[in-house]
Amino acid sequence: MKILLIGISLLFATSGVYAQSLSSENAESPRRTIKPYVTVEEALVSDSGASRYITPLTEWKRSEEEGNVTFSTTYVYPAAWLNRQLFVRVGSASHGYIVRANGSEVGRTTNGTYPAEFNLTKKSAQGINELQIVIPSDNPTAELLLAKTSATLGEVSIVSQPTIRVRDIDTSTRLNDNGDGIAEFNIVVKTEALNPKTSRIHYELLSPDTTRLAYGYKDITLEMRGEDTLSFATIVPAKWLWSIHNPTQLRLVVRNQVEGRYAENIALPIGLREVAYSDGRLSVNGKVAALRVATVPAGISASEIANLKVQGYNTIMVKAGAAANELYSRCDSIGVYVIPQSAIDTSHGASHIRRDGGNPSNNPAWKETYLARAAEMYHTSKTHPSVVAFSLGGGDTNGINLYESYLYLKGLEQNRPIIFLGAPEEWNSDRIEGSVMPQRGK
C-alpha cells in the first residue's frame, strides 16, 4: 500500500496543484461568498445581499433552440463603476453553462452545482448591457449528477469590487492551554491593475455583544495583476467559540481603503472552533465528536433540519446538488455539522468496472475535472464552522481520480477528515470513530 501511495503522490505532484480546464474556462478562482458594501454600517446590518455594489438579477427571459436553453437579461454598468471590476456571480444551475455578455463569450463551466464567478469588465460598456447564460444540450453525460432534467438557473448577481480587492477570506483556530482559541485570519487581496497598486486593509473582530476583540490594519502593495495574503491572529475567549451546542457567531469586518477612500466594506459572520482529526478520532474544541449523519438534498428547509436534530442526527451530508450558501449559514446558526459533497457521481450512467476508462473515476481524461470539483467544493464551503468533513462525491465506484482528489484535499489541510462512502474500507476514505454514516454509495 505504501508503494501505491508514493506512486500516486508523485503522479499528482507532476500534474499541477489545481487545473480546471475541463470544468471551467475563464472563471474566477472559487471562494467563499464576499458581499461588498459602500459603508461599514450597511455591511453590518444588511442581510439581503443587495447594495449599490450588488445587483441581484431577477428578470429573465427563457428561450430554447435545438435543445440549447438560453436565459437572457440586462444589467447596468454605471459610470461610477468604470474604475472598478464587474463580476457576475452564478449561484447555481441545473447543468453546466456558458456566460455571454453583449453577444461575446465570457467563460463557461461544466459544473453548475457550486457558485462560480466571471469577470465582465472587459465585455461591458457604460450603460445597459445584455447578459446570457446558455445551458447547452451537449453537456457530457458522464458529469451529470442525475438524468437529463429541465434546465434551471439559481440566484445570479452582478457584483462590483475595486481594481485592488478582497478576493477571499479564510480562518483557522487552535486551542491554547487555557482552552481559549488562537484564531488566525487570512485575507487574500488581488489586483487587476497593470501597474503597482497599494491598499490598506482594516480589520475588526466583534463579539455577539459588539465587544471589539481585535482590530488593526496592514498595507499591501501588489505588482501587475498580483495577489497576496495578509494575516493576523488574536485570542478569542472560550465562551465565544462555536459548537453545535453553543453556535456562537462573531463578526469579522474588513475595510479596503484605496487612495484614502474606502472602496469596499465587508462584514462576515464567523464561527471559530478547533477541528482536529488524528488516528480516526475527530474532535471539536478538544472534545471527541461522534457524527450521526443524515444524507439530505441541497434544498432542505430549516424546519426539516430542525426535525432531524429532534431525531438525533447532528450532521447532514449534502447530496451533490446546488447547495446555496444559505444552507451552510443556516447550519452555522442553529448548530448542525455539515459534510459537503463534491459534484461527482460515479454510479449514474457509467460502468462500475474498475479499469482504465471503465468509469470516469478511472478515466485519466476526467482527472482535472475531479480535482477542479474538489477545489470548488472546498473553497466555497471551507470557512463555515459547521463544516467538519468533506465527501469526495456520490456513487460507489472508486478509482485513480478519487485517489487524486483525496490527496489534493489533504494537501490543503489536515484538520478535517475526507470520506468516500462508496469505498469506506479504502485508504482514501478517513474512518471517524463512533460515527454512524449513511449506507454505502448513498
Side-chain angles (χ1 to χ4, degrees), residues 204-253:
E204 185 177 23
L205 184 64
L206 303 176
S207 71
D209 63 6
T210 70
T211 299
R212 180 188 278 178
L213 302 178
Y215 68 95
Y217 67 83
K218 291 186 178 182
D219 293 330
I220 184 170
T221 299
L222 299 176
E223 299 300 320
M224 178 180 68
R225 292 177 176 169
E227 179 176 303
D228 204 352
T229 301
L230 295 175
S231 300
F232 72 93
T234 189
I235 302 294
V236 177
K239 67 177 182 178
W240 297 133
L241 296 180
W242 185 96
S243 71
I244 58 172
H245 306 294
N246 183 35
T248 301
Q249 294 193 75
L250 313 179
R251 280 296 187 106
L252 176 64
V253 178

Side-chain angles (χ1 to χ4, degrees), residues 256-391:
N256 180 8
Q257 188 178 16
V258 183
E259 297 177 350
R261 300 180 61 182
Y262 289 104
E264 60 182 341
N265 297 275
I266 300 163
L268 297 176
I270 295 289
L272 301 175
R273 79 287 179 266
E274 179 191 70
V275 178
Y277 175 76
S278 179
D279 297 327
R281 291 166 60 90
L282 175 68
S283 64
V284 178
N285 296 331
K287 298 180 180 178
V288 174
L291 309 183
R292 188 174 183 212
V293 186
T295 302
V296 303
I300 187 172
S301 67
S303 60
E304 290 171 322
I305 295 176
N307 187 47
L308 286 173
K309 287 192 69 175
V310 172
Q311 296 177 40
Y313 293 99
N314 64 359
T315 308
I316 62 172
M317 178 181 291
V318 185
K319 291 182 180 178
N325 180 68
E326 286 71 22
L327 172 61
Y328 298 107
S329 298
R330 187 180 302 135
C331 293
D332 293 342
S333 62
I334 67 177
V336 173
Y337 295 135
V338 180
I339 303 176
Q341 191 170 89
S342 182
I344 291 293
D345 191 327
T346 65
S347 61
H348 171 73
S351 169
H352 292 256
I353 299 174
R354 292 184 60 175
R355 56 173 170 75
D356 186 359
N359 187 283
S361 61
N362 269 312
N363 189 336
W366 291 99
K367 173 184 170 183
E368 306 304 340
T369 297
Y370 273 64
L371 297 182
R373 295 197 171 191
E376 289 156 355
M377 169 197 63
Y378 177 80
H379 288 293
T380 56
S381 64
K382 62 186 177 184
T383 56
H384 288 279
S386 56
V387 174
V388 294
F390 299 95
S391 170

Side-chain angles (χ1 to χ4, degrees), residues 75-78 81 84-88 118-122 124 129 158-161:
Y75 63 94
V76 177
Y77 194 4
W81 289 5
R84 298 171 65 88
Q85 297 293 298
L86 197 65
F87 302 90
V88 58
F118 300 85
N119 195 321
L120 298 177
T121 310
K122 294 182 179 180
S124 304
N129 296 261
I158 299 295
V159 180
S160 168
Q161 288 192 269

Side-chain angles (χ1 to χ4, degrees), residues 7 24 66 84 141 149 296 345:
S24 61
E66 297 181 353
R84 298 171 65 88
T141 56
T149 58
V296 303
D345 191 327

